[in-house]
Structure formats: structure tokens, C-alpha cells
Amino acid sequence: MNIAICDDNLLDRELIVDLLECYFFNKSISYSIDQYENGDNLIYEIEDGHPYDIIILDIFMGKLLGIEVAKNLRKLKFNGEIIFLTASSDFAVDSYDVNAGGYILKPISYNKLKKVIDKVTLKLGTNSYCVRQRSNFLLIPYNEIVYIESNNSKCILHRNNGEKYNIYKKLNEIESELNDSRFLRSHQSYLVNMDYIIEAGNQFQLSTGDAVLIRQRHVKEIRNQYLKYNEKHNTHMASISN
């Protein structure tokens, strides 16, 4: 989980880092934290495409208030979670304008931070799949999962950045856990994200260059499932663009 903390008070930033390190250690979630002392630098990083899952913003900072920073971030299409730090709840209503995930009242404590981060990580996790990597857990967004294949005693998750993750579960169990309409069980050994399919023949060709097998006994039925999904997806996207 990638997190940015933006606060012009160094002591507050360091306190939040300590609390977050404790939180994620207890949750066994891998993380990275970047610190910013002003909103301008944070905005520049987002403009350059730096990805963050959560941004923690102080309301009162120098020349640019946290609310204004948040508005700029939303204009830049930042769709991660924004959490405000504030000494007063007066800005609670304004936080709804930028779809904030919550706010933490100062003085900051572990329990205050935990309550808000719990809510935000739960929300982020609803469209992510949790993969165990040694002693840590990694949340992989559904839209980054290309396909999952069963391989002997394990399954292999293929991510859109080329990375692969071993999962020591049955494919049936993973399919049940994902429970999302974009994933199609095309074969006994394959679960594919239909958003990556570019051609449906005797097998599915994917935009990543990979190919996924189709159960030949049910090839017509499986291809029809994909075509129905694709038609529904395209109709939905067209309605959004209009």
C-alpha cells in the first residue's frame, strides 16, 4: 500500500509515520510511505504519475490549505483515498466535496488513526485480491489481474505488469473469493479477466500477448458468456462517456 503524508509540521509527520508503521506491522500489510512538507510538491508528484492508495493531508498548511490541495488532486483524476488531519471538525462538510475517506482530529493518537485507516483499507480491499507473500499480504486490484492458472499444487496469478504470484489454494476457492462478473472460468485450469480478452477463438487471446485455454466441451457456451459480458461492458462505458 502506497501512502503519502502531507503536513508542514515535521513532528506531526514523524508521529503519523510511527503510527502507520505500527498499524501495518500488526496487519501484516506491506507498505511504503512518502512525506511532503507542502501541497505543491505533492501535486507535482501526482502530475508526474506517482501512484498513491492513500494521501493524508493536513488542513492548515502554509499558503495552500489541505482542502485546496485535495481539490487539485481530484482535478488531476487522483482517485485514491484522501484523509484530512485537522484540529477542528469545522472542515468536515468541505471534506465531502472531494470525496474524502475521513478525517483525524488532532492531537493524533493510534486509536484515532486506526479507526479511519481500518475503514479506508476495507474500502480499498473490496476491489482487490489479497495475496500472501511470505510474512506480508499484498492487495492486487481486480483490474490488474489478467488471469489465474492452476498449476499442480498451486495457482499462479498473472498481473498486468508481468509479475506472477504463487497462491497455495485451489482455483475453485480463488474463484469464489473473487466473486466478480469480470472473471470467467474458461477452463478447469484457468480463470480469466474478460477485460483483457481481445479475440475469442478456440482459445482466448489476451492484450498482454498471452493465450488462455477454453474448455472445448463447452466452447460455444463460454464464448457466449464472454460476448454477453463484452456487450454489457461496452454499453455501460458508452453511457458513462455520454
Side-chain angles (χ1 to χ4, degrees):
M1 190 163 290
N2 299 314
I3 301 165
I5 302 169
C6 187
D7 193 321
D8 56 1
N9 187 307
L10 176 60
L11 293 178
D12 280 348
R13 292 202 310 271
E14 291 181 341
L15 172 60
I16 297 166
V17 169
D18 289 342
L19 296 176
L20 286 173
E21 287 177 346
C22 181
Y23 176 88
F24 287 116
F25 176 80
N26 290 332
K27 294 286 186 178
S28 295
I29 296 174
S30 59
Y31 66 93
S32 67
I33 301 174
D34 293 330
Q35 298 184 45
Y36 298 89
E37 63 180 7
N38 63 69
D40 288 331
N41 289 340
L42 173 59
I43 290 169
Y44 295 149
E45 285 296 308
I46 297 297
E47 284 179 326
D48 287 340
H50 198 108
Y52 288 112
D53 301 296
I54 301 171
I55 292 178
I56 301 176
L57 275 174
D58 188 23
I59 287 287
F60 298 103
M61 291 186 298
K63 64 178 182 178
L64 197 58
L65 290 175
I67 289 288
E68 296 306 317
V69 175
K71 289 178 179 178
N72 284 322
L73 294 178
R74 293 305 190 204
K75 288 177 182 177
L76 292 171
K77 306 302 182 184
F78 172 74
N79 59 3
E81 294 293 329
I82 295 175
I83 297 170
F84 288 114
L85 299 171
T86 176
S88 168
S89 59
D90 292 344
F91 284 86
V93 175
D94 292 331
S95 68
Y96 290 108
D97 293 338
V98 292
N99 193 27
Y103 60 94
I104 302 171
L105 285 174
K106 295 182 178 182
I108 305 162
S109 69
Y110 180 77
N111 287 335
K112 289 178 182 177
L113 179 137
K114 180 181 182 299
K115 183 177 180 180
V116 176
I117 300 297
D118 273 345
K119 183 178 72 171
V120 166
T121 53
L122 180 64
K123 182 179 177 182
L124 289 170
T126 56
N127 289 309
S128 300
Y129 188 68
C130 186
V131 175
R132 182 166 190 147
Q133 295 290 288
R134 299 183 178 87
S135 60
N136 291 324
F137 292 90
L138 180 66
L139 289 173
I140 302 178
Y142 284 177
N143 62 359
E144 295 182 9
I145 299 173
V146 182
Y147 68 98
I148 303 170
E149 63 175 313
S150 176
N151 189 311
N152 297 322
S153 61
K154 67 187 179 192
C155 289
I156 303 171
L157 186 152
H158 296 256
R159 197 172 182 176
N160 62 0
N161 61 3
E163 293 182 357
K164 301 176 183 179
Y165 305 91
N166 292 331
I167 305 173
Y168 294 92
K169 295 180 180 180
K170 298 290 186 181
L171 192 57
N172 285 344
E173 184 179 356
I174 296 173
E175 182 181 12
S176 176
E177 289 172 343
L178 288 171
N179 190 28
D180 189 279
S181 62
R182 81 192 80 185
F183 293 104
L184 172 65
R185 187 68 175 268
S186 65
H187 187 274
Q188 181 179 352
S189 300
Y190 288 91
L191 184 65
V192 61
N193 185 338
M194 290 185 280
D195 291 338
Y196 287 91
I197 296 174
I198 58 174
E199 184 179 331
N202 290 326
Q203 57 185 3
F204 287 129
Q205 297 294 329
L206 309 182
S207 58
T208 57
D210 295 317
V212 169
L213 295 177
I214 299 176
R215 190 185 297 113
Q216 290 305 299
R217 187 183 300 176
H218 303 290
V219 62
K220 184 176 180 180
E221 176 187 339
I222 292 170
R223 278 193 299 214
N224 282 339
Q225 282 183 259
Y226 162 66
L227 292 172
K228 286 180 181 178
Y229 171 83
N230 194 44
E231 181 181 0
K232 183 177 180 181
H233 178 72
N234 289 339
T235 300
H236 176 66
M237 293 304 294
S239 67
I240 292 175
S241 61
N242 290 334

